[in-house]
Amino acid sequence: MVVQSEVRNVAYRWRWVALAALLVAEAMNLLDATIVQVAAPVVRADLGGAAAGIQWFSAAYTLPFAALLVAGGRLGDRLGRKRVFTAGVACFALASLLCAASPDAGVLIGARVVQGAAAALIIPQTIGLIRAMFDGAEMAKALGWLGPVMGLSAICGPVLGSVLTDAWTWRVAFLVNVPLAAAVLGMAPAMREDRAPRPPRLDLPGTALAAAGSALVVYPLIEGDTAGWPLWTWSALAAGVLLLVLFGLHQRRTADPLVEPTLFRSRRFPAALATSTLFFAAMNGLMVVIVLQVQLGLGRDVLTAGLTLLPWSCALAVSSWLAGTYLVPRVGARLLFCGLALMLTGVLTTVAVYHASVSWPLLGALALVGTGNGLFTVPFFTAALAPVRPQETGSAAGLLNAVQQFGGTLGIAVLGTAFLHEASGTGRTEALRPALWLAAALLTATAATAALMFGDSDAVR
């Protein structure tokens, strides 16, 4: 008993070191995603390949991340969250080295798939490990660090990616992950191991259906335009939708589902999933096509592309802090509709002020988009998890993160394809506009599904 007590005290003593490791891992994931979005056109120019490769450099990461995220959480429940976390970080570092050394686009895309799968092992363990090492007010304080770290990473990612690529090479942008991963692994022994008291069985058929269905939906959306939309693209889309439907039916019937079936007892949580998918499709897709327009349409360098996104990122960080600290406690979840309205206004303003150049009005419009982004995100997750019961929280949080990544992948595929199609047909200077109108349509649809998240009694609370 004395030995167990001493181990527990040592683990608790180093809880803040362990928290630092978890936060660095969260930042590493976000930095990697945003760095590549900015550097992708330069990567393609260096390695060659089809224009669709620009979309795959991001989608190859987010797609396996989305498809395996919930399964990664279940694996941590079963094998131990610390063990799965450290294995994921080590795999992420090795995949980053392979990315940096890639001789061609195909190898890079394959390495990005491995990175995404590794991230799906890392991210779901964070909250469980924090809960294992912190109690009471300290746990709330520890969880409170996640938001600022994610906001700072959103700001630093595009700028860091553009600076590294401009000063040296895009390969250095991937090598940044190696010292970060080494630091995390060095601090990982301070973590306390944690696993579910009743470890669930892994739903391998459900995981396979989700991964295959997602891939079959995204692949033709990216490759279809280049191929001329032959019959196989539509067949793949239909097959992907069918597999996702089968995944839903499987989850209702299996004894050990990836997703708690009770989450779908009312319309509110399914509406939250649809809202998350549409919103992050608009946000991620819009960010990618702006970078493409600055570099491919205007012929500017990667540093200009990164700095163009800076007003968006800074406004996002500030508005997220204001929303979480002041506005949501006073206004409530209806603030998310104000955020959507501001984002839509920013997108429409971008359509109006864009005249084939990067101008102060354009930067102002992007700051408006970022402000709305922050005002939406904080109340959205609060409202999405409000109807969720304690035993459903882990499954709900994992599923929300998964559809967020899947929505981002769809946005990159759809808006990116719209941009590249227009750029090849009518010239690159005006190619941004169709993608902007698509983003506006997605935000409008987001508002419609968000309204379904609220019952009659709390729609305006």
Side-chain angles (χ1 to χ4, degrees), residues 403-431:
V403 298
Q404 172 184 335
Q405 298 299 325
F406 181 64
T409 307
L410 283 178
I412 292 168
V414 174
L415 271 68
T417 297
F419 172 87
L420 294 171
H421 176 80
E422 193 71 13
S424 65
T426 61
R428 290 175 174 174
T429 57
E430 295 298 320

Short mmCIF file of all heavy atoms in Angstrom, two decimals, residues 403-431:
data_model
loop_
_atom_site.label_atom_id
_atom_site.label_comp_id
_atom_site.label_asym_id
_atom_site.label_seq_id
_atom_site.Cartn_x
_atom_site.Cartn_y
_atom_site.Cartn_z
N VAL A 403 -16.64 14.41 -36.90
CA VAL A 403 -17.37 15.06 -38.00
C VAL A 403 -16.77 16.44 -38.30
O VAL A 403 -16.87 16.92 -39.44
CB VAL A 403 -18.88 15.18 -37.69
CG1 VAL A 403 -19.50 13.81 -37.51
CG2 VAL A 403 -19.15 16.06 -36.48
N GLN A 404 -16.13 17.06 -37.30
CA GLN A 404 -15.43 18.32 -37.57
C GLN A 404 -14.31 18.08 -38.58
O GLN A 404 -14.16 18.84 -39.56
CB GLN A 404 -14.84 18.86 -36.27
CG GLN A 404 -13.92 20.06 -36.45
CD GLN A 404 -13.29 20.51 -35.14
OE1 GLN A 404 -13.84 20.27 -34.07
NE2 GLN A 404 -12.14 21.14 -35.22
N GLN A 405 -13.52 17.04 -38.37
CA GLN A 405 -12.45 16.73 -39.30
C GLN A 405 -12.99 16.28 -40.67
O GLN A 405 -12.46 16.65 -41.71
CB GLN A 405 -11.55 15.64 -38.71
CG GLN A 405 -10.85 16.03 -37.43
CD GLN A 405 -9.92 17.20 -37.61
OE1 GLN A 405 -9.29 17.37 -38.66
NE2 GLN A 405 -9.81 18.03 -36.59
N PHE A 406 -14.06 15.49 -40.65
CA PHE A 406 -14.65 15.04 -41.91
C PHE A 406 -15.22 16.23 -42.68
O PHE A 406 -15.07 16.32 -43.91
CB PHE A 406 -15.74 14.01 -41.63
CG PHE A 406 -16.39 13.46 -42.87
CD1 PHE A 406 -15.66 12.73 -43.79
CD2 PHE A 406 -17.74 13.68 -43.12
CE1 PHE A 406 -16.26 12.22 -44.93
CE2 PHE A 406 -18.34 13.18 -44.26
CZ PHE A 406 -17.59 12.45 -45.17
N GLY A 407 -15.89 17.15 -41.96
CA GLY A 407 -16.40 18.35 -42.62
C GLY A 407 -15.29 19.18 -43.22
O GLY A 407 -15.41 19.68 -44.36
N GLY A 408 -14.17 19.32 -42.47
CA GLY A 408 -13.04 20.06 -43.02
C GLY A 408 -12.49 19.42 -44.29
O GLY A 408 -12.13 20.11 -45.25
N THR A 409 -12.45 18.08 -44.30
CA THR A 409 -11.98 17.36 -45.49
C THR A 409 -12.92 17.60 -46.67
O THR A 409 -12.47 17.83 -47.80
CB THR A 409 -11.88 15.86 -45.20
OG1 THR A 409 -11.09 15.65 -44.03
CG2 THR A 409 -11.25 15.12 -46.37
N LEU A 410 -14.24 17.54 -46.42
CA LEU A 410 -15.20 17.81 -47.48
C LEU A 410 -15.07 19.23 -48.01
O LEU A 410 -15.16 19.46 -49.23
CB LEU A 410 -16.63 17.59 -46.95
CG LEU A 410 -17.11 16.15 -46.80
CD1 LEU A 410 -18.51 16.14 -46.21
CD2 LEU A 410 -17.09 15.44 -48.15
N GLY A 411 -14.86 20.19 -47.11
CA GLY A 411 -14.70 21.58 -47.55
C GLY A 411 -13.50 21.77 -48.45
O GLY A 411 -13.56 22.47 -49.47
N ILE A 412 -12.38 21.14 -48.05
CA ILE A 412 -11.18 21.22 -48.88
C ILE A 412 -11.44 20.61 -50.25
O ILE A 412 -11.01 21.14 -51.29
CB ILE A 412 -10.00 20.51 -48.18
CG1 ILE A 412 -9.58 21.30 -46.93
CG2 ILE A 412 -8.81 20.34 -49.12
CD1 ILE A 412 -8.64 20.55 -46.01
N ALA A 413 -12.17 19.48 -50.27
CA ALA A 413 -12.46 18.81 -51.54
C ALA A 413 -13.39 19.64 -52.42
O ALA A 413 -13.11 19.87 -53.60
CB ALA A 413 -13.08 17.44 -51.26
N VAL A 414 -14.49 20.13 -51.85
CA VAL A 414 -15.52 20.80 -52.65
C VAL A 414 -15.08 22.20 -53.06
O VAL A 414 -15.11 22.56 -54.24
CB VAL A 414 -16.85 20.84 -51.88
CG1 VAL A 414 -17.89 21.66 -52.64
CG2 VAL A 414 -17.38 19.43 -51.63
N LEU A 415 -14.68 23.03 -52.10
CA LEU A 415 -14.27 24.40 -52.43
C LEU A 415 -12.97 24.41 -53.22
O LEU A 415 -12.79 25.23 -54.14
CB LEU A 415 -14.14 25.25 -51.17
CG LEU A 415 -15.42 25.97 -50.72
CD1 LEU A 415 -16.46 24.95 -50.22
CD2 LEU A 415 -15.13 26.98 -49.61
N GLY A 416 -12.04 23.50 -52.86
CA GLY A 416 -10.79 23.43 -53.61
C GLY A 416 -11.02 23.04 -55.05
O GLY A 416 -10.41 23.60 -55.98
N THR A 417 -11.91 22.07 -55.27
CA THR A 417 -12.23 21.65 -56.64
C THR A 417 -12.89 22.78 -57.42
O THR A 417 -12.61 22.99 -58.61
CB THR A 417 -13.14 20.41 -56.62
OG1 THR A 417 -12.42 19.33 -56.00
CG2 THR A 417 -13.56 20.00 -58.02
N ALA A 418 -13.79 23.52 -56.75
CA ALA A 418 -14.45 24.65 -57.42
C ALA A 418 -13.42 25.69 -57.85
O ALA A 418 -13.49 26.23 -58.97
CB ALA A 418 -15.48 25.28 -56.48
N PHE A 419 -12.46 25.97 -56.99
CA PHE A 419 -11.42 26.95 -57.33
C PHE A 419 -10.57 26.46 -58.49
O PHE A 419 -10.34 27.19 -59.47
CB PHE A 419 -10.54 27.23 -56.12
CG PHE A 419 -9.34 28.08 -56.43
CD1 PHE A 419 -9.43 29.46 -56.39
CD2 PHE A 419 -8.13 27.51 -56.80
CE1 PHE A 419 -8.34 30.26 -56.71
CE2 PHE A 419 -7.03 28.30 -57.11
CZ PHE A 419 -7.14 29.67 -57.07
N LEU A 420 -10.06 25.22 -58.40
CA LEU A 420 -9.16 24.72 -59.44
C LEU A 420 -9.87 24.57 -60.78
O LEU A 420 -9.27 24.79 -61.83
CB LEU A 420 -8.56 23.38 -58.99
CG LEU A 420 -7.63 23.46 -57.78
CD1 LEU A 420 -7.26 22.06 -57.29
CD2 LEU A 420 -6.37 24.26 -58.12
N HIS A 421 -11.15 24.20 -60.76
CA HIS A 421 -11.92 24.10 -62.01
C HIS A 421 -12.05 25.47 -62.66
O HIS A 421 -11.83 25.62 -63.87
CB HIS A 421 -13.30 23.51 -61.73
CG HIS A 421 -14.19 23.47 -62.94
ND1 HIS A 421 -14.09 22.49 -63.90
CD2 HIS A 421 -15.18 24.33 -63.35
CE1 HIS A 421 -14.98 22.74 -64.86
NE2 HIS A 421 -15.65 23.83 -64.54
N GLU A 422 -12.38 26.47 -61.86
CA GLU A 422 -12.55 27.82 -62.40
C GLU A 422 -11.21 28.38 -62.88
O GLU A 422 -11.13 29.06 -63.91
CB GLU A 422 -13.14 28.73 -61.33
CG GLU A 422 -13.65 30.08 -61.84
CD GLU A 422 -14.91 29.96 -62.67
OE1 GLU A 422 -15.53 28.87 -62.64
OE2 GLU A 422 -15.26 30.94 -63.35
N ALA A 423 -10.14 28.07 -62.12
CA ALA A 423 -8.82 28.57 -62.50
C ALA A 423 -8.36 28.00 -63.83
O ALA A 423 -7.70 28.70 -64.62
CB ALA A 423 -7.81 28.22 -61.41
N SER A 424 -8.72 26.76 -64.11
CA SER A 424 -8.30 26.14 -65.36
C SER A 424 -9.16 26.59 -66.54
O SER A 424 -8.75 26.46 -67.69
CB SER A 424 -8.36 24.61 -65.24
OG SER A 424 -9.71 24.18 -65.06
N GLY A 425 -10.35 27.13 -66.24
CA GLY A 425 -11.25 27.47 -67.33
C GLY A 425 -11.28 28.93 -67.70
O GLY A 425 -11.27 29.29 -68.88
N THR A 426 -11.30 29.84 -66.71
CA THR A 426 -11.49 31.25 -67.02
C THR A 426 -10.36 32.15 -66.53
O THR A 426 -10.44 33.36 -66.64
CB THR A 426 -12.80 31.76 -66.37
OG1 THR A 426 -12.70 31.61 -64.94
CG2 THR A 426 -13.99 30.98 -66.87
N GLY A 427 -9.32 31.54 -66.00
CA GLY A 427 -8.22 32.36 -65.49
C GLY A 427 -8.26 32.43 -63.98
O GLY A 427 -9.31 32.43 -63.36
N ARG A 428 -7.09 32.50 -63.37
CA ARG A 428 -6.98 32.35 -61.93
C ARG A 428 -7.39 33.58 -61.15
O ARG A 428 -7.70 33.49 -59.96
CB ARG A 428 -5.55 31.96 -61.58
CG ARG A 428 -5.20 30.54 -62.03
CD ARG A 428 -3.75 30.22 -61.79
NE ARG A 428 -3.47 28.81 -62.09
CZ ARG A 428 -2.28 28.26 -62.08
NH1 ARG A 428 -1.22 29.01 -61.80
NH2 ARG A 428 -2.11 26.98 -62.35
N THR A 429 -7.39 34.74 -61.74
CA THR A 429 -7.67 35.95 -60.97
C THR A 429 -9.10 36.00 -60.46
O THR A 429 -9.38 36.60 -59.44
CB THR A 429 -7.37 37.21 -61.81
OG1 THR A 429 -8.14 37.16 -63.00
CG2 THR A 429 -5.88 37.29 -62.14
N GLU A 430 -10.04 35.38 -61.19
CA GLU A 430 -11.43 35.40 -60.77
C GLU A 430 -11.90 34.06 -60.21
O GLU A 430 -13.09 33.87 -59.96
CB GLU A 430 -12.32 35.77 -61.97
CG GLU A 430 -12.08 37.19 -62.48
CD GLU A 430 -12.41 38.24 -61.42
OE1 GLU A 430 -13.42 38.07 -60.71
OE2 GLU A 430 -11.65 39.21 -61.30
N ALA A 431 -10.97 33.13 -60.00
CA ALA A 431 -11.35 31.77 -59.61
C ALA A 431 -11.87 31.70 -58.18
O ALA A 431 -12.51 30.71 -57.80
CB ALA A 431 -10.16 30.83 -59.78
#
